[in-house]
Amino acid sequence: MSNASSRARVKELRKLIDHHNYQYHVLDSPEIPDTEYDGLFKELLSIEDSHPELITPGSPTQRVGATPLEEFAKVKHDIPMLSLSNAFSDQEIQDFDRRVRDRVGGASIEYVAEPKMDGVAVSLLYEDGVLIRGATRGDGLTGEDVTHNVRTIGSVPLRLLGAGYPRVLEVRGEVYMTTQGFEALNVRQRQHDRKVFANPRNAAAGSLRQLDPRVTVERPLEIFFHSFGKVDDGELLQTHYDTLMRFRDWGLRVCPETRTAMGWQQCLEYYQDLLNRRGHLDYAVDGVVYKVNAIEQQRELGFISRAPRWAIAHKFPAEEELTKLLDISVQVGRTGTLTPVARLEPVSVGGVTVTNATLHNQDEVERKDVRVGDTVIVRRAGDVIPEIVAVVRSKRPKRTRRFKLPTKCPVCESDVVRREGEAAARCTGGLFCPAQRREAIRHFASRRAMDIEGLGDKLVEQLDEQGLVHDLADLYKLKLEDIAELEHMGRKSAANLIEALEASKDTTLARFLYALGIRDVGETTAQTLATYYGSLAGLMRANRDDLQRVPDVGPVVADNIYTFFREKHNQRVINKLKPVIGRLKQPRPNPTTKLGHTLPLSNKTFVLTGTLTSMSRDKAKAALQALGAKVVGSVSKKTDYVVAGADPGSKATKAMKLGVTTLDEDRFLDLIQDN
Ligand code: D41
């Protein structure tokens, strides 16, 4: 290529890449697939490679500098980065609004409400639209120069788009890590035996404080801009909200949850709504921020000490608290897995008292170096099981006790083994182990399995203790008299249980397979197996190779299924369950189904998100599966369709980012009906 045409093509490519970057990061709506973007990028790299004189700092290829820094330079903020006052109750917000109205007058104030990102506060300086410096907030007066790292963040424009921006523009925002990115990062860190981060904020802070930008570029960092500092030779708009919308035009990413709100009432509505959706957002939020919208009113209000009078943070209940670890005990699960459980000094986390938290497995205990006597950070988010995030090392007492999983099962004293490559240690007692037996029965009876109403934990324990139920099949041999004699049971509840047992026999092959509790056979696999084999007998005859032909059944799962049905005890139980099996609603073993490709939605992967109005999510899932589709929990490039109901949340956003087709409820219903 001639020099002139290279120059022209480079210019064109940079423009295209900047544009698609903007569509992807700022608007969340990519116009081209990733591969095409990569193609443009590679072409630019290749031209720059043969024409190094054409490289400019603003080129999208120049995000990562080659040489690590020796140390961070200090940056003095010309205009201090103020802090935010905090409020923890509705009353404090009403008081804040009252103070604002007292100063500026007027009946009702317009605010901008936005999530309070739990990330790292930064300031980015653009001159003539070119990013020239990025700095952390530090103490508000002086921060650290992290330009080399900020440049690696894909959603930070190296050059502003469009026109009309001031010659000097300092924008302020929050660098954060998405929850998904954070989890994936920790998986990688573990694989490489590197430091695991306690939460997305620590991970973001640690990533931004790297001297080597080649480390930072590998970290899934994002940014939202929420305000501005220095502005020279140019004007911004009259309201905070309009200013943020201009930011977006210039390629600066603004949180899509940003809204205007009239008076404290709408602020509180916004708060409640965001709090309800907190668990569905793809980023950590520790509250919301309200800001007076009119810049003129902001000026009138000014600030006291280091915080503006025109803004306030309304904090969410904390999801993490400190407490003392009193002891570590061991729980034995359905498949014999031994789980270390931390016994804690009771602590209220987000309004719920937590006394236990899972420690997952021995490796996790060691990785986190958790010891009895330690002060620990407990986390309880939404409905997830509380867990220990990290130990507060500075609070470790002189005497602590390390934990080691026992080599004998604490329930049945059978040997405990840990298979090569597995994280879990297991009791080898099988159904001889009361813990495993009880868990197996509980699972069998659970709602999504055989759905035996009234067969709760206490009752299972009693049935086991009294020797009334040794295996799953014994459940169906229970006599009313036996049950009625148990503690807290009468003839009435006994009769109800007998009835529930009878009713449970009307079920499907898929549910029955799931209920058996074969390791790694969850609902989805059970469903696939049922469709593929059509009958229990067919499945039981299958060898390992046959099983691996079933979609999504790999060698490990195939082995688990195969061994399960070869086990003498299991065969006996299944034989005893014949009366139930005889009644199972079995899909016709369909040779076309067996090929695995001929159902209308075979080979199609779906993700359901949000609330559907016409049916429950389970119904929708079943409908899709009946058409051969696979329904999974999270969106990836392999997803074919995302069905988005009301309030869809982060999965829908992710689908958009990845260019996955999203169906609204109407289109989803059409699809089901057409097939
Ligand atoms: O999302 C945030 N963490 C956030 C922080 C936000 N949405 N808005 C903010 N606004 C301000 C003012 C009103 C002072 C411009 C802030 C912060 N400050 C802030 N971040 C760290 C200290 C203060």
Side-chain angles (χ1 to χ4, degrees), residues 75-366:
V75 170
K76 190 175 163 304
H77 300 294
D78 283 350
I79 299 177
M81 290 180 78
L82 300 177
S83 55
L84 281 167
S85 342
N86 285 323
F88 297 90
S89 66
D90 292 2
Q91 185 58 51
E92 286 170 90
I93 298 307
Q94 291 185 39
D95 295 346
F96 162 76
D97 176 61
R98 152 80 46 209
R99 290 195 300 274
V100 169
R101 279 184 290 121
D102 283 351
R103 280 185 181 263
V104 303
S108 194
I109 303 288
E110 185 171 60
Y111 295 97
V112 172
E114 64 199 21
K116 181 166 187 299
M117 304 297 301
D118 199 3
V120 184
V122 294
S123 145
L124 268 56
L125 187 60
Y126 287 88
E127 284 186 12
D128 299 311
V130 176
L131 174 67
I132 60 158
R133 195 197 67 198
T136 61
R137 174 175 179 276
D139 63 3
L141 301 173
T142 316
E144 283 176 329
D145 190 325
V146 287
T147 314
H148 63 304
N149 287 337
V150 160
R151 288 174 64 88
T152 68
I153 303 174
S155 43
V156 166
L158 300 179
R159 293 179 305 178
L160 296 180
L161 301 181
Y165 41 77
R167 193 184 64 77
V168 177
L169 175 64
E170 182 204 349
V171 282
R172 293 170 173 185
E174 199 85 4
V175 170
Y176 68 94
M177 201 176 274
T178 63
T179 327
Q180 280 200 1
F182 161 72
E183 274 155 19
L185 170 64
N186 266 353
V187 168
R188 272 182 279 145
Q189 293 288 99
R190 261 182 215 127
Q191 278 167 355
H192 294 98
D193 254 332
R194 287 194 293 247
K195 179 188 151 88
V196 170
F197 296 97
N199 54 46
R201 193 178 56 77
N202 286 357
S207 304
L208 211 52
R209 288 203 83 264
Q210 288 289 333
L211 290 167
D212 188 349
R214 287 168 299 191
V215 176
T216 311
V217 71
E218 300 296 331
R219 301 285 174 81
L221 294 176
E222 303 272 0
I223 194 164
F224 282 138
F225 294 96
H226 58 60
S227 58
F228 53 88
K230 196 156 114 167
V231 176
D232 276 347
D233 301 338
E235 293 280 320
L236 293 177
L237 298 171
Q238 294 304 304
T239 66
H240 188 71
Y241 189 80
D242 291 344
T243 305
L244 293 181
M245 296 309 115
R246 284 309 291 281
F247 277 16
R248 241 180 226 164
D249 299 337
W250 295 332
L252 300 163
R253 204 158 166 267
V254 172
C255 179
E257 300 290 345
T258 307
R259 304 274 184 279
T260 55
M262 263 318 213
W264 59 266
Q265 294 89 341
Q266 285 190 353
C267 287
L268 295 186
E269 279 170 31
Y270 178 87
Y271 176 92
Q272 199 51 53
D273 172 62
L274 200 73
L275 182 56
N276 292 341
R277 294 188 294 116
R278 182 187 201 181
H280 301 289
L281 299 172
D282 194 25
Y283 39 81
V285 169
D286 61 353
V288 302
V289 186
Y290 312 123
K291 297 174 182 172
V292 171
N293 192 21
I295 304 288
E296 185 50 38
Q297 290 181 335
Q298 291 184 2
R299 266 193 210 109
E300 263 176 74
L301 286 155
F303 50 90
I304 15 163
S305 68
R306 303 267 303 278
R309 281 203 196 86
W310 46 266
I312 195 162
H314 191 181
K315 301 288 282 258
F316 284 157
E319 290 180 322
E320 293 181 1
E321 294 291 345
L322 292 188
T323 191
K324 243 213 179 75
L325 193 150
L326 305 174
D327 198 6
I328 299 177
S329 59
V330 177
Q331 239 166 36
V332 185
R334 168 166 61 86
T335 51
T337 311
L338 268 61
T339 307
V341 178
R343 307 292 170 197
L344 306 168
E345 202 161 86
V347 60
S348 170
V349 190
V352 172
T353 304
V354 175
T355 48
N356 300 319
T358 179
L359 283 164
H360 302 289
N361 54 54
Q362 180 71 36
D363 285 354
E364 191 75 6
V365 175
E366 280 161 26

